[in-house]
Amino acid sequence: MRREHPTTVLRPPEQDTAGTATAVAHPNIALIKYWGKRDERLVLPWTGSLSMTLDVFPTTTRVRLDAEAGHDEAILNGVPATGEARRRITAFLELVRELAGRPERAVVDTGNTVPTGAGLASSASGFAALAVAAAAAYGLDLDEAALSRLARRGSGSASRSVFGGFAVWHAGPDTGTAADADLGSYAEPVPTADLDPALVIAVVNAGPKAVSSREAMRRTVDTSPLYRPWAASSKDDLADMRAALRRGDLEAVGEIAERNALGMHATMLAARPAVRYLSPATVTVLDRVLQLRRDGVGAYATMDAGPNVKVLCSRADAERVAEAVRGAVPDGTVLVAGPGRGARLLNEGGR
Ligand code: DP6
């Protein structure tokens, strides 16, 4: 098994004292996609989604309160954050301060091991780790559902990375008050029968994407004639997916995940102007996945806001699938991921 990814550049946690906390979180890959917000400020989705948290590409984040500082500071992989990244972190800390009723500014130090902005869910692990660390640093005592709601405000998909294994993010009620919708929209673990799943990740291009997922989903909701039909069918896909997971039917899980992802990309292709994340290398991997199925191997593809492909299969088939995918994209990086743990605080030893 090849697991080549850079190690975190974050310093090992010092003794976390009062007002300081360090958390680690992993990205998740959606098998039923979140695509489209009905409320931008509260990050409320039009549809529920479901994902598997990975055991690769952790993000480690330390939050240290600084009573003397006049503004927040954010360091990403050793470099001060600027622009949109900085704005999103500061807005998130504002929210935490409001919840905690405390005024202190903070220093956020984040080490990401996943290529940022390449459709590999760096914002999911990033905001899940930040939610857990910031809540602890500001002395908030939140249960997992509340942490998931908080992480959601940073990035929708982060609501799911609070949990390990499979998690479902409920859309929440779309009528009634904003407070009800906010409270109803959180992730929780999904009951599954015995599955031994793996996701073979083909990184065909680790560069940042041309259009952010935030902008792309906004444009899709606003302009794509295919968005509403996809959203309606995604609700059915979610119910079918939950049933397939309960029965431990990996073939059905894969088929539903693949159709849901292809449908999501269809909605963006029909947006005006179109958003196309899939590249020739993506299509080459998709062809290889089809060939694997013809050869009797249960392998199913999913893609997010980028050209990289994640192939769901059983752990027993993972090496065979990885070899086939490597053959299809000799210039890419292919690694095998399994289900990982949810976001958690690190204690003093960095464990
Ligand atoms: C295609 O969670 O990154 O990966 O809420 O605007 O931060 P924001 O979006 P984000 O979108 C993820 C979209 C996706 C599908 C998914 O993870 O469900």
Side-chain angles (χ1 to χ4, degrees):
M1 186 180 315
R2 218 169 58 173
R3 287 197 179 173
E4 288 167 8
H5 42 86
T7 49
T8 175
V9 298
L10 184 66
R11 294 184 306 278
E14 297 139 16
Q15 292 282 105
D16 281 344
T17 50
T20 305
T22 307
V24 64
H26 287 81
N28 67 76
I29 299 300
L31 302 179
I32 300 295
K33 302 298 184 186
Y34 148 53
W35 196 250
K37 295 177 186 63
R38 64 181 202 275
D39 186 312
E40 295 258 345
R41 187 181 67 84
L42 293 172
V43 192
L44 296 171
W46 277 113
T47 57
S49 57
L50 187 150
S51 61
M52 185 176 104
T53 298
L54 304 181
D55 59 357
V56 295
F57 298 145
T59 296
T60 307
T61 296
R62 183 189 307 124
V63 175
R64 180 171 59 79
L65 305 197
D66 184 348
E68 310 299 314
H71 56 82
D72 297 313
E73 200 185 321
I75 300 158
L76 292 180
N77 289 339
V79 180
T82 54
E84 182 62 8
R86 184 191 156 88
R87 194 199 59 72
R88 279 176 73 172
I89 292 170
T90 305
F92 189 81
L93 291 171
E94 280 298 337
L95 180 65
V96 176
R97 279 191 281 270
E98 209 176 285
L99 285 173
R102 291 176 64 161
E104 299 99 316
R105 306 287 140 170
V107 181
V108 174
D109 195 348
T110 283
N112 240 336
T113 56
V114 54
T116 302
L120 285 170
S122 61
S123 69
S125 54
F127 279 100
L130 181 58
V132 170
Y138 279 94
L140 283 169
D141 186 16
L142 303 181
D143 63 16
E144 286 184 324
L147 278 171
S148 174
R149 282 186 207 102
L150 177 60
R152 187 196 84 220
R153 297 286 298 271
S155 183
S157 53
S159 64
R160 301 182 308 238
S161 273
V162 169
F163 301 96
F166 292 92
V168 61
W169 169 21
H170 305 292
D174 59 6
T175 53
T177 66
D180 288 345
D182 177 43
L183 281 176
S185 187
Y186 60 92
E188 61 181 347
V190 176
T192 64
D194 263 359
L195 285 166
D196 201 10
L199 273 171
V200 173
I201 302 178
V203 183
V204 301
N205 180 350
K209 50 202 165 208
V211 186
S212 72
S213 54
R214 193 154 274 201
E215 161 59 20
M217 68 174 83
R218 187 182 297 136
R219 194 188 298 171
T220 305
V221 172
D222 290 349
T223 70
S224 174
L226 301 191
Y227 182 69
R228 276 169 198 284
W230 174 79
S233 73
S234 197
K235 289 179 185 164
D236 296 338
D237 284 348
L238 178 57
D240 292 350
M241 175 64 82
R242 295 189 66 147
L245 285 169
R246 251 192 323 267
R247 326 189 275 281
D249 183 345
L250 197 61
E251 191 181 323
V253 169
E255 278 175 11
I256 300 162
E258 192 173 289
R259 75 182 186 220
N260 189 265
L262 289 171
M264 175 186 75
H265 284 277
T267 67
M268 316 180 202
L269 288 169
R272 297 161 192 187
V275 180
R276 183 174 60 83
Y277 288 121
L278 312 183
S279 71
T282 313
V283 177
T284 304
V285 176
L286 290 178
D287 280 345
R288 194 56 66 100
V289 168
L290 269 182
Q291 189 58 49
L292 279 163
R293 289 216 287 273
R294 282 192 210 108
D295 295 344
V297 181
Y300 306 88
T302 184
M303 291 81 61
D304 294 292
N308 304 313
V309 186
K310 298 90 181 185
V311 185
L312 181 72
C313 59
S314 74
R315 176 70 78 173
D317 287 335
E319 274 314 313
R320 177 162 179 201
V321 171
E323 271 318 303
V325 171
R326 268 184 208 118
V329 281
D331 297 337
T333 302
V334 177
L335 59 108
V336 178
R341 298 172 62 184
R344 64 192 187 283
L345 283 173
L346 290 185
N347 50 27
E348 296 88 45
R351 278 164 288 135

